[in-house]
Amino acid sequence: MSPIMASNTANVAKSLNCVPEDSSSDSEETLLCLKNTSMEAINKFAISYPEDAKPRIGGPYFNPSYDGDYISERPSVSLSRGDFVKDLPLLLSWTTNDGAWFAPPHLPTPSSALATLQLHIPNLTPASHSRLEELYPLPSFSHLATPNVTASYHLAAQLHRDFWFTCPVLGFAQKYHRYRSPSSTEERSSSNQKTYLYAFNTTRYAPVFGTMSVPHWRVGHLSDIPYVFNTRHVPGGDNSPEQLELARRMSSSVINFAYGGDPNGKGGLEEGEWRGAFDGEGKGMGVMVVDGKEGGGGMVRIGNEEWMGEEEKGDGLQRDRGRGIRWERLVERCAFIDGIAEEVGV
């Protein structure tokens, strides 16, 4: 458990008077006290800490963990072995700025950006630290800097997004596809349409973030929720006709998937154009970039440079979508992050 999570857990125990003066928060006495405390009382304090944070909906306060008993091993180990329920349809996603909440806006250096990551990954080795500096060079984020928000902040936000959201999604999709049960080429070709990916790159929360003085959160975590559930009114948010139409179409795609395992169908985004993540061509993973422009979104691929260049020869909008995904360097960054799962503790 990271120091920040241990501290938050200890604070809950202290608030419940479960840490005797002559004892520690990880003692058997504390554990017994918490076991004998009602769930209502624990939740009251556990919820109050993140709610009192500034900003109020900042980073995580309690992370899941494995104990070798109820959860027998790290989930990444089970995934790598193929030890999970197979052949279910999957719709997996992330937002462009999922990691925006995890760092303060005035980080001065790349080292300070990496330090925000190490709060959650205390076992990160010096070698991994150095490799992350290579994979996330500061100049790549300089164009995002403003007088009030540093390039190092954007570096940190990208690190957190990749570590906690995007790379776990891509890694899970790859492993799930690898262990699908159909064995013949024909069966696998039809089966691989069961996994769909989308990267959400628009938000209705921009006015809200502006009011909160955090406009740099941009397409922050949960930005896709009002679209998925076709929310007609977001308090303080963007409720323009264009956004409501995108919400209707995105929700239709999700309903199509829930009903038949395929987001394509009547009323959805890019009807008939939302392809599976693995189309059998050996050209990486297909992802629907949802940005609300010209039909709501478009398919791009996450993969190697030799064929990514082909996509960038398309029309202006589709070219920009492809370049945006390529700028994120997801293949090499996520391969590295997936390879240090033991250090991360997942």
Side-chain angles (χ1 to χ4, degrees):
M1 182 182 293
S2 72
I4 190 171
M5 301 303 164
S7 176
N8 292 335
T9 302
N11 285 335
V12 171
K14 291 174 183 177
S15 298
L16 292 166
N17 297 316
C18 282
V19 183
E21 292 185 6
D22 58 346
S23 184
S24 66
S25 59
D26 58 355
S27 66
E28 290 187 10
E29 292 84 355
T30 295
L31 182 60
L32 181 61
C33 176
L34 290 172
K35 284 183 175 180
N36 291 327
T37 302
S38 70
M39 182 60 69
E40 290 77 13
I42 293 175
N43 278 338
K44 176 182 177 181
F45 287 100
I47 293 172
S48 68
Y49 284 107
E51 286 188 339
D52 291 340
K54 306 298 180 190
R56 188 167 183 242
I57 45 178
Y61 271 66
F62 306 99
N63 274 355
S65 61
Y66 68 96
D67 57 3
D69 180 18
Y70 185 76
I71 300 177
S72 61
E73 62 186 1
R74 290 184 293 110
S76 63
V77 175
S78 300
L79 280 173
S80 296
R81 194 173 55 243
D83 188 10
F84 48 79
V85 176
K86 301 174 179 67
D87 298 314
L88 296 174
L90 300 177
L91 180 63
L92 308 173
S93 68
W94 64 90
T95 73
T96 300
N97 307 111
D98 264 324
W101 301 352
F102 286 75
H106 305 302
L107 293 172
T109 64
S111 294
S112 63
L114 279 163
T116 67
L117 188 67
Q118 288 180 288
L119 285 173
H120 306 276
I121 311 175
N123 296 321
L124 193 69
T125 66
S128 294
H129 189 286
S130 296
R131 180 58 179 149
L132 288 172
E133 289 181 331
E134 296 172 356
L135 289 170
Y136 294 83
L138 185 63
S140 294
F141 302 91
S142 296
H143 67 288
L144 298 172
T146 66
N148 297 319
V149 183
T150 65
S152 291
Y153 159 79
H154 289 289
L155 189 162
Q158 195 76 14
L159 275 168
H160 285 285
R161 192 208 71 161
D162 291 350
F163 263 86
W164 312 127
F165 301 97
T166 307
C167 294
V169 164
L170 295 179
F172 179 73
Q174 289 173 314
K175 293 177 178 67
Y176 202 88
H177 176 65
R178 181 187 309 159
Y179 286 104
R180 285 200 185 280
S181 58
S183 55
S184 72
T185 302
E186 184 176 350
E187 286 177 314
R188 185 170 288 276
S189 178
S190 61
S191 172
N192 63 23
Q193 296 298 315
K194 289 185 177 181
T195 296
Y196 298 88
L197 300 172
Y198 71 85
F200 216 82
N201 192 30
T202 189
T203 186
R204 294 172 64 183
Y205 292 128
V208 178
F209 293 159
T211 300
M212 295 170 61
S213 299
V214 287
H216 53 280
W217 284 5
R218 300 182 295 164
V219 188
H221 187 51
L222 304 178
S223 283
D224 58 332
I225 297 302
Y227 301 88
V228 168
F229 289 100
N230 194 18
T231 303
R232 307 315 289 169
H233 180 75
V234 173
D238 184 348
N239 300 301
S240 64
E242 295 79 9
Q243 293 290 354
L244 295 182
E245 173 61 13
L246 180 60
R248 184 194 66 78
R249 297 185 69 182
M250 183 67 196
S251 180
S252 294
S253 291
V254 174
I255 291 170
N256 291 337
F257 173 80
Y259 181 78
D262 186 339
N264 294 291
K266 185 176 180 180
L269 290 169
E270 299 294 325
E271 292 185 26
E273 297 299 322
W274 196 329
R275 298 187 298 277
F278 305 95
D279 59 8
E281 297 179 3
K283 293 185 175 181
M285 288 179 283
V287 56
M288 175 67 77
V289 175
V290 183
D291 53 18
K293 301 174 183 176
E294 296 184 13
M299 291 295 300
V300 302
R301 294 185 184 280
I302 300 171
N304 297 321
E305 289 188 11
E306 56 266 23
W307 56 262
M308 278 295 288
E310 298 173 7
E311 186 167 80
E312 294 178 6
K313 296 176 183 177
D315 62 47
L317 178 56
Q318 194 61 14
R319 180 187 63 229
D320 291 343
R321 288 167 175 158
R323 286 178 175 175
I325 289 291
R326 184 176 179 180
W327 174 81
E328 295 179 336
R329 299 172 60 182
L330 290 174
V331 172
E332 56 182 330
R333 287 173 175 173
C334 289
F336 175 75
I337 291 171
D338 188 61
I340 59 169
E342 185 172 359
E343 290 179 39
V344 179
V346 297

